[in-house]
Structures are given as structure tokens and as C-alpha cells.
Amino acid sequence: KGRRKSRRPLSTRVPIHLVLRSENKWAYKALAYGSCTNRKILSAVAKRFQIQILDVVFNHNHVHLVIRIPSRESYNGFIRLLTSRLAQCAKLKKGD
């Protein structure tokens, strides 16, 4: 009960609106003014997985992305690597 019966639909044709949020309200602000730049990280990770970034907006505790993905596998790799790199740069610990 309460479990999805099929995989979440991910379109490779239609752009996806993605929101990455942190409970730590200063996490993404730290990225904007810290030693590592978030746009560099985002573009490097997107290039590695062939993700097209159509729009990006950084807010104080979340990031809005509009992306187009070539496949589900590249999306999964992109999300894993991007979130870990952003957390490393913001110096967040597990649970923050």
C-alpha cells in the first residue's frame, strides 16, 4: 500500500522542471559566495551526462532547474553526482 506500481515517468522529449532543496537555508547561498562556483559544478556534471540545461535559478535554500535528459540512466547519474558535489561544496553533513 502506498507504493508506486510503475516507474515515475521521465520524458526525454519534454523539458523537466527539477527543484533541489536543502533544509539548511544557507546551503546554496554558501555555494554562491564560496570557493567553488555552483554554475561550474552544474555545467561540468551536465556535460558528463549529456544533460541540456535550459534554465537555472539559485535561491537561498533551493535551486530550480529546467533540463532535458537523453535517458533515465543519465538522469540518475546526474542527480547523484550533482547533489553530492553541491553538498561537498556547501560543506553539508548527512541530514543537513
Side-chain angles (χ1 to χ4, degrees):
K1 183 180 176 184
R3 292 199 174 184
R4 184 175 292 277
K5 303 295 187 270
S6 62
R7 295 189 332 179
R8 182 178 300 277
L10 283 175
S11 175
T12 57
R13 295 181 186 168
V14 179
I16 297 168
H17 178 238
L18 175 67
V19 179
L20 299 174
R21 185 175 181 274
S22 173
E23 291 296 320
N24 183 337
K25 69 179 186 174
W26 302 110
Y28 293 108
K29 188 162 256 190
L31 287 172
Y33 301 111
S35 60
C36 44
T37 59
N38 43 24
R39 293 199 187 269
K40 259 192 211 177
I41 293 168
L42 189 58
S43 62
V45 173
K47 186 177 180 181
R48 179 174 173 178
F49 292 100
Q50 293 94 31
I51 303 287
Q52 292 179 340
I53 300 174
L54 304 175
D55 196 16
V56 180
V57 177
F58 288 93
N59 292 357
H60 66 286
N61 71 339
H62 62 282
V63 178
H64 290 270
L65 299 166
V66 179
I67 60 173
R68 186 171 287 138
I69 61 170
S71 68
R72 179 179 290 274
E73 293 77 23
S74 64
Y75 172 77
N76 289 338
F78 171 73
I79 291 298
R80 277 193 199 111
L81 188 58
L82 179 63
T83 53
S84 67
R85 292 266 171 93
L86 290 176
Q88 285 171 356
C89 281
K91 296 184 173 94
L92 294 177
K93 305 225 181 328
K94 192 172 184 177
D96 282 352

